[in-house]
Amino acid sequence: MLRVFSANIEFQKEISTNNSPKFSVITSIRFGLLTIEFSGSGYLRGNQPLLAFFINLIELKLRSNILLKRSLIGAKAKEELFFNLIALENNGDWLSARGQGGTLVLWLKG
């Protein structure tokens, strides 16, 4: 069956100079051959880890070809988004979190 719509989030650990781990964050939404991708960076803070992140780049792609690429600068890029991390399954197959608006999110390892 052809997958028409899908969403994805990817975290990659970066080298950090302080005690809080830093990550690159890439969120994408795919509809058929088109993909919109939001990129930025984030970090963990607190004991009930809060993943705070900033989006600073948006790309629109047709397959692997970039149709539109925009850097977010100024106030838009500095707006902090976050997820309160709730649980990670023992083998890492899923992660649950609550967004700043109260939305419950479940990510499945693909």
Side-chain angles (χ1 to χ4, degrees):
M1 183 172 161
L2 180 62
R3 209 180 208 184
V4 177
F5 176 80
S6 66
N8 185 49
I9 190 164
E10 181 180 330
F11 303 104
Q12 293 181 349
K13 192 171 183 179
E14 297 177 353
I15 297 172
S16 182
T17 56
N18 57 20
N19 291 338
S20 64
K22 189 172 180 186
F23 299 88
S24 63
V25 180
I26 301 171
T27 302
S28 61
I29 301 167
R30 180 178 299 165
F31 185 73
L33 300 176
L34 286 174
T35 302
I36 187 165
E37 191 171 276
F38 305 90
S39 305
S41 61
Y43 58 94
L44 291 174
R45 68 175 184 223
N47 293 333
Q48 168 77 36
L50 181 78
L51 173 65
F53 61 98
F54 303 90
I55 300 297
N56 55 24
L57 181 68
I58 297 176
E59 293 180 334
L60 179 62
K61 297 178 181 180
L62 179 62
R63 293 188 181 201
S64 61
N65 300 317
I66 298 173
L67 303 175
L68 179 68
K69 185 175 185 174
R70 292 286 185 256
S71 177
L72 295 177
I73 54 175
K76 288 182 184 176
K78 294 185 183 199
E79 184 176 327
E80 185 180 74
L81 306 168
F82 66 84
F83 286 106
N84 286 311
L85 302 181
I86 299 171
L88 173 64
E89 194 210 9
N90 289 336
N91 64 6
D93 282 345
W94 59 264
L95 170 70
S96 63
R98 184 165 301 279
Q100 65 194 60
T103 305
L104 184 61
V105 181
L106 178 65
W107 290 293
L108 304 175
K109 189 174 188 177

